Amino acid sequence: MSAELLVLLIVVFTALAFDFTNGFHDTANAMATSIATGALSPRVAVALSAALNLLGAFLSVEVAKTVSGGLLNISGVHHMALLHIVFAGLVGGILWNLFTWLFGIPSSSSHALFGGLIGAAVAALGASGVIWTGDQKTGLINKIILPALLAPFVACLVAGLGTYAVYRLTKRSPKDKVSTGFRWGQIGSASLVSLAHGTNDAQKTMGVIFMALVAHGTYTNNDDIPLWVKVCCALAIALGTYLGGWRIIRTLGKGLVEIDSPQGFAAETSSAAIILTSAQFGLPLSTTQTATGSILGTGLGKPGAEVRWGVMGRMAVAWVFTLPLAGLVGAFCWWLADLGGGLLGVVIVAAILIAASAYMYLRSRRNPVDTRNVNDDWESGLTPPSQPREKTAA
């Protein structure tokens, strides 16, 4: 087995590892509000989301085409050099995903991936390694930056108007019946977000793996994405989703806005509509930013609702720094892999990735979040899962 083939295999497995982290990092986008309102129990929610992520991954390949050929200017780049770029970018995306998950920050997995790839490409090829502007099908600014700026504001506006309309239309109805009805509605709306997430996010990893396969010479840019790539990416993101990113689910479900079921329904419906629309146009949208904007909109649209602007501020800071910091990690990993040379450099970076990932996982166990405490009141902090909160008499 040649060194180049071994590097390709490492790249493919690393891409699937990113896809897995994308799944548990972004479970909150679909299910945080349904879990917070009690529409779905935590385990049922993540199981349903995983199944629909799996299905959604097969519905379209437009986003995958954008990722594989619309962001990096890689024509004429040597095979091994391109594999190094892709690998370094994936490592940057994974480490940023794990870092933000550790602190319960719902940052964008998509932008972490793109930041890592862009940083590695610039380090390897200079500024010309990135397609900054292009036609309607290519270009960092057209396909990534503009959607990133617009998506949360559009989602906030749509969800805010929807929430306001819902409360106006139901203000004379019994509150218990309204809550119960919208909890049932949330099962459908949350399912749509999960389907949309699979359609959008699983394709990003498909595009990266296909880029690596083209670099190796196994396929050409004119070939269709092979079925085994679609199946592996769908399974990886579904498995990650089922694991449940409870730390981020808690932040979106309890930290930003105290959500009632009508708000949850409005947030999920607006998120699903925007994500599915963007997938059809090949826009690799941040589902995290879209879902967060929708949840914020429900807080603004409900009369008297409280929005925790401090939590929103921390999220916004993470959004701003995702691309550049993931890019710096991607650039450093490319430099390290290039310094080691060939297969050895990739193995060194892979060892660092495994060590850093293990450290962050062990660090998270000091303050665990799972199904038993994910819905604890935000202001009162977390109760350790092994020590359930005592019930007080009414």
Side-chain angles (χ1 to χ4, degrees):
M1 185 178 292
S2 67
E4 191 169 301
L5 181 57
L6 281 173
V7 171
L8 174 64
L9 292 175
I10 292 173
V11 170
V12 170
F13 279 109
T14 305
L16 294 176
F18 171 81
D19 206 22
F20 176 80
T21 67
N22 191 349
F24 76 74
H25 197 281
D26 289 4
T27 310
N29 300 343
M31 291 299 172
T33 54
S34 294
I35 292 171
T37 63
L40 291 167
S41 67
R43 278 297 171 197
V44 170
V46 296
L48 177 62
S49 186
L52 290 166
N53 266 277
L54 181 68
L55 176 62
F58 294 96
L59 296 184
S60 171
V61 293
E62 293 303 316
V63 172
K65 291 177 182 177
T66 297
V67 174
S68 63
L71 297 177
L72 302 184
N73 187 13
I74 53 178
S75 57
V77 180
H78 187 269
H79 292 176
M80 185 64 84
L82 182 53
L83 289 174
H84 278 192
I85 291 171
V86 174
F87 175 69
L90 287 165
V91 173
I94 291 172
L95 290 178
W96 182 256
N97 270 357
L98 292 177
F99 178 78
T100 50
W101 162 79
L102 178 62
F103 290 96
I105 301 172
S107 69
S108 171
S109 297
S110 305
H111 293 172
L113 173 62
F114 299 142
L117 290 172
I118 290 165
V122 170
L125 308 173
S128 62
V130 177
I131 303 173
W132 300 101
T133 59
D135 57 27
Q136 61 180 353
K137 295 184 178 180
T138 61
L140 173 67
I141 294 176
N142 297 344
K143 305 298 273 188
I144 306 298
I145 302 299
L146 289 179
L149 294 175
L150 293 175
F153 291 102
V154 173
C156 182
L157 177 62
V158 173
L161 292 174
T163 301
Y164 178 78
V166 163
Y167 279 102
R168 288 283 295 177
L169 292 171
T170 61
K171 66 178 181 178
R172 299 185 185 278
S173 303
K175 291 185 178 180
D176 57 340
K177 291 185 178 180
V178 171
S179 295
T180 300
F182 277 105
R183 284 194 188 101
W184 282 105
Q186 277 191 273
I187 297 174
S189 58
S191 297
L192 276 177
V193 180
S194 294
L195 189 70
H197 182 263
T199 304
N200 193 281
D201 280 44
Q203 288 188 59
K204 295 163 189 172
T205 307
M206 293 180 200
V208 170
I209 292 178
F210 188 67
M211 188 191 305
L213 293 170
V214 170
H216 182 258
T218 308
Y219 294 91
T220 69
N221 281 321
N222 295 323
D223 291 327
D224 293 330
I225 295 175
L227 179 62
W228 69 265
V229 173
K230 297 178 183 178
V231 171
C232 289
C233 291
L235 289 173
I237 199 169
L239 182 60
T241 300
Y242 182 71
L243 183 67
W246 304 111
R247 308 175 86 83
I248 299 175
I249 288 174
R250 174 169 166 74
T251 300
L252 276 182
K254 303 298 291 186
L256 185 58
V257 177
E258 288 294 335
I259 297 176
D260 290 331
S261 55
Q263 294 168 274
F265 178 80
E268 291 158 358
T269 303
S270 62
S271 294
I274 293 169
I275 296 167
L276 284 170
T277 301
S278 69
Q280 292 305 308
F281 287 98
L283 297 174
L285 197 69
S286 167
T287 55
T288 300
Q289 292 182 3
T290 303
T292 304
S294 295
I295 292 172
L296 176 63
T298 67
L300 298 176
K302 178 185 177 182
E306 176 190 0
V307 176
R308 297 188 179 94
W309 291 106
V311 175
M312 186 66 238
R314 290 194 291 274
M315 293 182 192
V317 169
W319 294 354
V320 170
F321 284 104
T322 294
L323 274 169
L325 290 184
L328 286 175
V329 176
F332 174 75
C333 289
W334 176 86
W335 173 81
L336 198 59
D338 186 65
L339 185 66
L343 177 61
L344 177 61
V346 170
V347 170
I348 291 171
V349 176
I352 293 173
L353 170 63
I354 293 170
S357 301
Y359 170 78
M360 283 187 274
Y361 171 76
L362 293 173
R363 180 67 179 81
S364 74
R365 305 321 298 160
R366 299 182 187 178
N367 184 27
V369 183
D370 58 26
T371 57
R372 291 168 290 180
N373 63 358
V374 68
N375 268 344
D376 279 4
D377 291 338
W378 184 262
E379 300 295 348
S380 61
L382 286 175
T383 300
S386 59
Q387 301 174 14
R389 192 185 304 278
E390 294 183 1
K391 295 182 179 179
T392 57

